[in-house]
Amino acid sequence: MKFLKRLLVLCLSLMTVIVLGACSQEESSASGDGDDNLKIGISLPSATHGWMGALIEEAENQAKELKESDGIEYVMTNAADPNKQANDVDDLISQDVDVIVMLPIESAALSPVGQKVKDAGIPLVIVDRELENDAATVVVKGDNEGIGVNAGKYFIEQLKGKGKVVEITGPPSSVTEQRGAGFIEAMESEDGIEVIASQSGDFSTEKSLEVMQNILQAHSQIDAVFTQDDGMALGVLQAIKEAGREDIKFVTGAGGGKGVFENIKEDGLISATFLYSPTMVKDAVKIAADLAKGEEPEETMVIKEATKVTKENVDEHYNPDSKF
């Protein structure tokens, strides 16, 4: 009899342990763990020039802030070419991230990748260079066409409607196409201005130096140079100095880099640039966080103004501590 009582007590104790264990497991599941956290995937090019390096830093800083404030995790990747970026995005999709932020290295090459993201049901925030399809949920960019148009108007004004101009463009992308189209559109109103050379500097100071050296050898008379990027403007400036050319009246850039601002402040050959701040990626990451939470975007196209910066207003924008 005593044995049966002991057996009964043991069975009851065992059942209690099982029930408590099940409850504990349910509570753990309900409270969630790290695997339940929202996650942003960020796919960016490698830092091939100062603007991109600053953008990468801004993106990571903003993602860290969101992790601390909202507990949103992030995964960041960098690629040197479109194939690597495509693989990076495939990997982000396989990680089941809640939203992806992408700055495409090339618009055409990454458009099918953007479609993959859309087909996977993942919101996509595109920064800077647009895709050639409608895969993006939100696009955040500077006013690329406005940069070209404003630069064209500046050239007409400074050259008084007459002169020989060189254009240094970026690699194949929506940014390059829009800046170039805006510039040509503005210039078409003046028959006296001729674009005598247009070559790609790949948004690289070194490449632009090399390209400009060749252009200088091929053309004995150049009045001004329009570059689509501040880093390229610095490369062009170096080529002109090394060649000892004095026929070129001015060079313009785009972006808002510290080195270009300093040349403008010193009355250097670079006389103007047009803002295209890398801080735009902070807006993109914030929007991505909202999308990850299931919120609808307030806008599907966010465009930053292409403000002209010259000697008159450069002090308003110059930051000596800027890394760009």
Side-chain angles (χ1 to χ4, degrees):
M1 195 69 165
K2 288 182 179 180
F3 173 76
L4 290 174
K5 285 183 178 180
R6 287 175 184 169
L7 183 60
L8 181 60
V9 170
L10 182 61
C11 289
L12 289 170
S13 298
L14 184 59
M15 287 177 65
T16 300
V17 169
I18 292 172
V19 170
L20 288 173
C23 290
S24 175
Q25 187 174 10
E26 286 177 9
E27 287 175 4
S28 175
S29 177
S31 63
D33 53 29
D35 294 334
D36 293 330
N37 287 354
L38 296 174
K39 185 181 291 185
I40 299 173
I42 304 174
S43 171
L44 304 175
S46 301
T48 54
H49 58 296
W51 188 89
M52 191 63 72
L55 181 135
I56 291 169
E57 183 177 52
E58 295 283 1
E60 185 147 31
N61 288 342
Q62 185 58 60
K64 285 178 179 177
E65 282 184 28
L66 286 166
K67 183 176 180 180
E68 291 174 5
S69 63
D70 295 25
I72 299 175
E73 302 290 339
Y74 71 93
V75 180
M76 180 175 287
T77 65
N78 300 100
D81 59 74
N83 288 335
K84 172 64 165 59
Q85 187 170 31
N87 291 334
D88 287 345
V89 174
D90 282 342
D91 187 49
L92 292 173
I93 293 172
S94 69
Q95 291 185 50
D96 199 26
V97 296
D98 296 282
V99 61
I100 290 177
V101 176
M102 177 170 69
L103 195 165
I105 293 175
E106 292 182 6
S107 299
L110 275 300
S111 291
V113 177
Q115 189 61 46
K116 276 189 183 180
V117 176
K118 183 178 181 179
D119 292 344
I122 300 173
L124 175 63
V125 181
I126 290 294
V127 185
D128 183 29
R129 305 170 192 172
E130 295 175 75
L131 301 177
E132 295 184 347
N133 54 26
D134 63 351
T137 309
V138 178
V139 174
V140 181
K141 65 173 188 173
D143 186 0
N144 287 302
E145 187 173 352
I147 285 175
V149 169
N150 291 348
K153 290 177 179 177
Y154 181 79
F155 272 63
I156 292 169
E157 174 189 314
Q158 296 299 311
L159 296 175
K160 296 180 171 49
K162 184 178 181 180
K164 295 181 178 180
V165 172
V166 167
E167 178 187 31
I168 306 297
T169 73
S173 70
S174 63
V175 170
T176 296
E177 292 166 8
Q178 290 168 6
R179 290 182 187 181
F183 183 68
I184 296 302
E185 176 189 329
M187 301 284 278
E188 283 177 348
S189 63
E190 294 290 336
D191 295 333
I193 297 180
E194 179 187 3
V195 179
I196 59 174
S198 180
Q199 292 188 34
S200 174
D202 289 341
F203 288 152
S204 162
T205 300
E206 294 75 16
K207 177 69 173 177
S208 299
L209 166 62
E210 178 185 333
V211 166
M212 193 63 198
Q213 286 172 334
N214 295 332
I215 292 174
L216 289 169
Q217 290 175 5
H219 299 277
S220 60
Q221 177 62 41
I222 299 171
D223 291 296
V225 183
F226 164 59
T227 75
Q228 295 186 359
D229 169 75
D230 279 349
M232 296 198 300
L234 294 173
V236 166
L237 180 65
Q238 185 178 342
I240 294 170
K241 286 182 177 179
E242 290 177 358
R245 292 283 289 265
E246 297 183 353
D247 52 314
I248 298 164
K249 299 177 177 66
F250 63 89
V251 175
T252 65
K258 182 167 68 173
V260 165
F261 284 160
E262 288 171 349
N263 193 264
I264 292 173
K265 284 168 66 69
E266 295 163 2
D267 287 322
L269 197 58
I270 302 176
S271 62
T273 190
F274 303 87
L275 292 187
Y276 197 83
S277 175
T279 59
M280 68 175 71
V281 77
K282 296 178 69 173
D283 292 333
V285 175
K286 289 177 185 176
I287 290 168
D290 291 338
L291 291 171
K293 295 173 186 175
E295 298 177 15
E296 290 294 321
E298 293 182 7
E299 301 175 89
T300 57
M301 182 70 71
V302 180
I303 302 176
K304 301 295 185 178
E305 187 176 350
T307 303
K308 179 176 72 176
V309 179
T310 62
K311 184 71 180 289
E312 284 69 33
N313 65 342
V314 67
D315 287 332
E316 298 173 20
H317 303 282
Y318 176 65
N319 176 8
D321 299 323
S322 172
K323 292 185 178 180
F324 167 58

